[in-house]
Amino acid sequence: MVHLAHQSISDSVSYSQFENIAFLTIQNPPVNGLGDTVREGLYSGLERAQNDSEIQAIVICGEGKMFSGGADIRQFNTPKANAKPMLRDVIKKISQSVKPVIAAIHGAALGGGLELALGCHYRIASSDAKLGLPEVNLGLLPGGGGTQRLPRLIGVEPAARMIVNAAMINSQKTLELGLIDQVVSIDILDAAIDFAKKRLVQGDQKHPVIEHLPLSPSEAQIETIRNELNPKARNARAQRAALDCVAHAGTGDFEQGLDYERARFEELVKGIESHSLRHIFFAEKQALKVKDLTDEVKAFSITTVGVIGAGTMGTGIAMAYANAGIPVTLFEVNQTALDRGLATIRKNYEATGAKGKISPEEIERRIASISSSTNLASIAQADLVIEAVFEDMEVKKKLFLELDHICKSGAILASNTSRLDVNEIASVTSRPQDVIGLHFFSPANVMRLLEVVRGSKTSLEVIATCMSMAQKIGKTPVLVGVCEGFVGNRMLTPYWREAWFLLEEGATPNQIDHALTDFGMAMGPLRMADLAGLDINWVTRKRLAPTRRPDLRYSKVADRICEAGRFGQKTGAGFYKYSPGSRLPEPDPVVDEMIKECALEAGITRRSITDAEIVERCMLALINEACWILQEGIAQRSSDVDVVYVNGYGFPAWRGGPLFYAETLGWKNVYEKLLKLRVAQGDHWAISPYLIAKAEGIASAST
Ligand SMILES: NC(=O)c1ccc[n+]([C@@H]2O[C@H](COP(=O)([O-])OP(=O)(O)OC[C@H]3O[C@@H](n4cnc5c(N)ncnc54)[C@H](O)[C@@H]3O)[C@@H](O)[C@H]2O)c1
């Protein structure tokens, strides 16, 4: 392996020489982002190598785990992002070089990293490298020439698909596409030296630069791809703009194409969608950090899992672990319930198999990793036991008492409860430090969100283990505290309450759901309630009835619907009616009558309600409750709430989550609207002190 003697030429690029080859090494951990000092270093390194008569070839490479992960996202919307030299200037310098410039890619070349490589005369990549232009994931497009060079190099259609799908492609495939010149299996620097020497010996100084390759995208090619785009995708605007740029390539002069691409990039980077998507990108990373965890606290590994209850959640949770290659034992009270659960698991896997997403062998392997039993002792040796039985405190307490006796010492005992008090559940065991809530979302094998519910006595080791385990099974964990409904479901309570009030005041279920899906929610609140099952919350409302303040307005609409035996989709009727076998909600005049009766009993004169009022009141209900949650320390930080709502409740990612949305509305504005509602409607709009402080601009920046 060659050893290079590095000399710094900027804060984050070093220059070194091996025989007649110059190496420019990007040293900007963690991902070698192309910030201002990297661009400056590359530019001056290129200049130095070109002016040095000893040098005959130049290699650009990255230190650490990859070549380059792309632009430095944290510099976006700051002067550093547009500081000269821009990536375009660096690439221009490469194209003017009479000495061949080789991109030596290991790990990954993503976004601007790949655009830099596309600007080089040659590209070689190690066999495990991944290449891609994932900018649309952040609501952006490749703004460093990617939309102009890639189609010229590999053809319009593959390039357009790679860009709009943010595809990450392995090096072998990129070789087949003609994107790179060679896949190498030896050390990337040694391979770069061999490659450069061969080129020099052959007298083949360099490839023609990509911008000189001909290109003529056809309208039909672009149109086909445009029609495949989902107009409701979180990044729809960026995908359309990126496709426009590819279409533009070849219509005029190359420099003009670059100008067009840059203008479209600037438009997106300033827009709210990209701001929101970048916020969520960082929020998900931030959510993994537990504020009071120190490096001394070590997570332990989970190699076997026991799941109790083979209903809706238990089966999904078992699949989530089987999918990650972790063996599971599934326990049920009787064989009939167990067989039903196992049949559901097989049916779900076969449905995925039928879509070609998983091979028949893999299905059998995953199913074989789930063993089953009606004997609780079968889970005694599991490192982690997750309970997913009926949502009933007495049932759960009885079970945890048994688990305390049966499970091995040090096992984590987790509850998948949606709303119950994890501390009360833990209190029946002799080891509350090992008890935690793991609130999976339905379907648990698909949904990414996992609320990790920290009890008052849960140990830091157990928290650390669950946060790390969640990532191993592909989940996005968010640490939350104990309260009624934790973060996500607790916020649903005032959200639904507002929807019911709006029904009484004059809206219809259809109008409310449409107003909120037009806003961007994946599903309206009433349709979602029908899907989740209305009976569960009815039980909760009855349980909480003694603690309800009698002076506050209360809508009887949801109770009235449940009293009629309408529990949502599963009973064929809820806020809507459903034809047998159909999930399509149909407006039901019976429900309209129930709503009118409730309004009459409450003395409400119905009026016409605008969609804007629906959205405003439902969103303000979410925002205010989220602020109470932060006030009480139930969530660690405001961005965690956004992660919960985007990943678990269908909140539009391109609006960044309820609290980022509040930020865009302006906290003062939010506060004033809430104040008006409180005066008009009463104390259920009590405003959280956290929100008031935000409006006054004094809330802590860290939350
Ligand atoms: N359904 C959801 O969308 C959802 C989402 C998140 C969390 N949860 C929570 O997950 C838990 C399970 O909900 P579900 O929707 O899967 O319910 P479910 O009714 O579909 O399944 C519960 C299963 O538990 C079994 N069971 C009951 N008592 C048992 C015991 N003592 N030992 C073993 N098995 C027992 C039942 O036979 C049944 O198969 C509840 O606490 C619920 O609040 C549900």
Side-chain angles (χ1 to χ4, degrees):
M1 219 167 85
V2 63
H3 178 75
L4 299 174
H6 294 287
Q7 288 170 23
S8 291
I9 43 168
S10 82
D11 280 355
S12 42
V13 175
S14 77
Y15 186 97
S16 41
Q17 183 172 345
F18 178 82
E19 297 176 2
N20 57 355
I21 305 167
F23 282 82
L24 308 181
T25 308
I26 307 172
Q27 298 169 316
N28 190 20
V31 297
N32 289 332
L34 300 173
D36 55 332
T37 57
V38 172
R39 301 193 304 268
E40 181 199 314
L42 290 173
Y43 193 88
S44 46
L46 286 161
E47 216 155 49
R48 177 167 160 185
Q50 279 158 29
N51 292 336
D52 184 338
S53 57
E54 249 185 59
I55 298 295
Q56 291 190 31
I58 303 161
V59 172
I60 300 182
C61 54
E63 192 172 79
K65 58 185 181 186
M66 64 177 73
F67 175 75
S68 168
D72 191 332
I73 305 169
R74 287 178 198 274
Q75 289 189 352
F76 282 170
N77 306 103
T78 73
K80 288 183 176 174
N82 289 334
K84 289 271 177 186
M86 298 283 284
L87 183 56
R88 183 170 173 177
D89 304 317
V90 174
I91 294 177
K92 190 157 199 167
K93 193 95 192 143
I94 296 172
S95 67
Q96 289 166 347
S97 167
V98 289
K99 303 171 183 180
V101 182
I102 302 154
I105 299 166
H106 78 292
L110 303 176
L114 181 55
E115 292 179 296
L116 170 65
L118 286 170
C120 294
H121 304 114
Y122 297 101
R123 286 156 292 284
I124 64 168
S126 49
S127 51
D128 58 353
K130 292 249 184 298
L131 286 77
L133 293 171
E135 286 85 346
V136 292
N137 283 341
L138 294 180
L140 298 169
L141 53 79
T147 66
Q148 307 299 296
R149 287 192 177 85
L150 193 62
R152 284 182 162 81
L153 188 63
I154 66 170
V156 170
E157 213 170 312
R161 285 191 200 285
M162 191 170 158
I163 293 170
V164 299
N165 298 329
M168 303 267 239
I169 301 185
N170 65 39
S171 35
Q172 187 54 42
K173 180 88 175 106
T174 57
L175 181 69
E176 287 158 23
L177 283 169
L179 205 166
I180 62 170
D181 300 285
Q182 196 177 77
V183 177
V184 300
S185 43
I186 57 169
D187 175 71
I188 191 70
L189 299 185
D190 291 338
I193 293 169
D194 289 351
F195 188 90
K197 282 183 175 173
K198 275 193 196 121
R199 289 293 153 286
L200 295 174
V201 166
Q202 287 167 5
D204 167 15
Q205 282 220 314
K206 57 186 174 64
H207 262 328
V209 284
I210 295 173
E211 52 221 63
H212 299 146
L213 297 174
L215 179 78
S216 48
S218 85
E219 256 313 304
Q221 278 175 313
I222 299 291
E223 235 6 69
T224 310
I225 300 172
R226 204 184 299 279
N227 291 336
E228 285 168 16
L229 298 179
N230 172 6
K232 289 199 154 181
R234 53 162 65 185
N235 56 359
R237 190 171 167 219
Q239 286 181 315
R240 282 196 306 271
L243 202 55
D244 290 347
C245 292
V246 175
H248 198 88
T251 58
D253 130 273
F254 185 79
E255 291 295 320
Q256 239 178 30
L258 290 183
D259 290 344
Y260 179 79
E261 178 197 79
R262 194 67 204 173
R264 297 300 301 267
F265 174 89
E266 290 294 338
E267 187 185 293
L268 291 174
V269 81
K270 288 187 192 122
I272 197 68
E273 293 90 345
S274 172
H275 268 285
S276 303
L277 292 172
R278 279 179 274 151
H279 163 74
I280 281 294
F281 175 80
F282 287 120
E284 287 181 4
K285 293 193 187 310
Q286 192 71 12
L288 305 178
K289 296 185 184 136
V290 176
K291 284 188 176 168
D292 51 349
L293 269 192
T294 57
D295 289 346
E296 282 81 63
V297 181
K298 297 282 174 245
F300 47 90
S301 69
I302 301 287
T303 52
T304 53
V305 174
V307 175
I308 303 181
T312 310
M313 294 308 290
T315 50
I317 294 170
M319 288 172 74
Y321 286 96
N323 293 349
I326 299 174
V328 183
T329 302
L330 185 58
F331 166 81
E332 253 293 350
V333 273
N334 60 54
Q335 196 59 43
T336 315
L338 194 52
D339 289 344
R340 196 172 44 234
L342 293 172
T344 304
I345 290 175
R346 178 165 286 282
K347 195 176 100 215
N348 287 343
Y349 273 133
E350 284 175 354
T352 314
K355 290 183 200 147
K357 290 187 180 165
I358 173 176
S359 70
E361 298 74 40
E362 186 57 20
I363 293 178
E364 293 312 319
R365 194 197 62 71
R366 292 188 194 182
I367 290 178
S369 72
I370 302 174
S371 55
S372 61
S373 176
T374 53
N375 176 3
L376 198 56
S378 61
I379 51 105
Q381 292 309 312
D383 298 320
L384 164 67
V385 175
I386 304 170
E387 157 283 302
V389 305
F390 300 136
E391 184 77 338
D392 178 312
M393 182 55 95
E394 291 318 307
V395 175
K396 298 216 192 249
K397 278 183 167 169
K398 188 166 166 277
L399 179 65
F400 271 75
L401 202 58
E402 279 181 83
L403 292 178
D404 193 23
H405 289 127
I406 288 172
C407 294
K408 71 175 181 187
S409 148
I412 298 179
L413 308 183
S415 171
N416 181 46
T417 178
S418 314
R419 288 177 173 267
L420 297 177
D421 183 342
V422 174
N423 291 329
E424 193 177 336
I425 297 174
S427 72
V428 300
T429 72
S430 62
R431 39 174 139 175
Q433 73 281 359
D434 296 335
V435 178
I436 196 163
L438 289 179
H439 184 211
F440 287 83
F441 288 72
S442 180
N445 52 317
V446 176
M447 295 288 284
R448 282 178 60 216
L449 180 63
L450 177 65
E451 281 185 330
V452 175
V453 189
R454 168 186 205 159
S456 56
K457 294 191 177 153
T458 310
S459 75
L460 288 173
E461 283 76 14
V462 167
I463 293 171
T465 304
C466 289
M467 296 296 284
S468 125
M469 170 280 296
Q471 294 165 70
K472 289 200 181 109
I473 63 167
K475 302 293 175 200
T476 301
V478 178
L479 186 67
V480 302
V482 174
C483 66
E484 173 65 34
F486 317 124
V487 169
N489 283 344
R490 170 167 165 179
M491 286 165 64
L492 275 184
T493 302
Y495 179 62
W496 271 331
R497 176 202 70 205
E498 224 33 50
W500 303 334
F501 286 170
L502 286 157
L503 287 177
E504 287 180 336
E505 289 169 40
T508 64
N510 223 6
Q511 188 196 1
I512 290 179
D513 283 345
H514 274 120
L516 285 152
T517 47
D518 285 351
F519 170 80
M521 297 298 290
M523 196 181 277
L526 303 172
R527 217 179 140 170
M528 177 169 77
D530 271 3
L531 178 68
L534 304 182
D535 49 334
I536 303 166
N537 287 310
W538 191 31
V539 171
T540 308
R541 284 198 299 281
K542 285 191 273 194
R543 172 166 60 84
L544 298 178
T547 59
R548 200 165 55 230
R549 270 175 57 185
D551 58 317
L552 297 188
R553 179 177 168 191
Y554 180 78
S555 165
K556 291 184 188 154
V557 168
D559 294 347
R560 196 62 56 86
I561 288 174
C562 289
E563 283 155 16
R566 303 173 67 112
F567 295 157
Q569 278 189 20
K570 61 184 166 191
T571 56
F575 283 97
Y576 297 91
K577 60 181 174 185
Y578 300 86
S579 300
S582 165
R583 286 169 177 262
L584 197 73
E586 298 168 38
D588 191 344
V590 175
V591 172
D592 296 340
E593 279 314 307
M594 286 180 185
I595 294 168
K596 279 185 198 150
E597 271 170 32
C598 291
L600 196 66
E601 286 166 26
I604 294 165
T605 311
R606 283 164 61 79
R607 62 188 167 91
S608 129
I609 308 267
T610 63
D611 288 2
E613 181 176 353
I614 292 170
V615 170
E616 182 170 294
R617 279 173 54 182
C618 290
M619 286 301 130
L620 288 173
L622 282 181
I623 293 166
N624 192 33
E625 194 63 28
C627 290
W628 279 109
I629 283 170
L630 289 167
Q631 176 80 32
E632 294 165 23
I634 296 296
Q636 292 193 94
R637 49 184 88 80
S638 68
S639 59
D640 284 5
V641 175
D642 289 338
V643 173
V644 168
Y645 256 69
V646 166
N647 287 297
Y649 294 84
F651 196 96
W654 56 271
R655 290 193 190 269
L659 290 170
F660 188 80
Y661 175 60
E663 200 88 45
T664 63
L665 292 176
W667 284 104
K668 202 158 176 296
N669 181 20
V670 168
Y671 171 70
E672 279 161 7
K673 284 178 189 300
L674 281 167
L675 205 57
K676 272 195 197 142
L677 282 166
R678 185 177 188 175
V679 171
Q681 305 215 359
D683 246 9
H684 59 265
W685 281 112
I687 306 171
S688 123
Y690 174 93
L691 196 150
I692 296 170
K694 276 293 219 189
E696 288 169 354
I698 55 173
S700 143
S702 64
T703 48

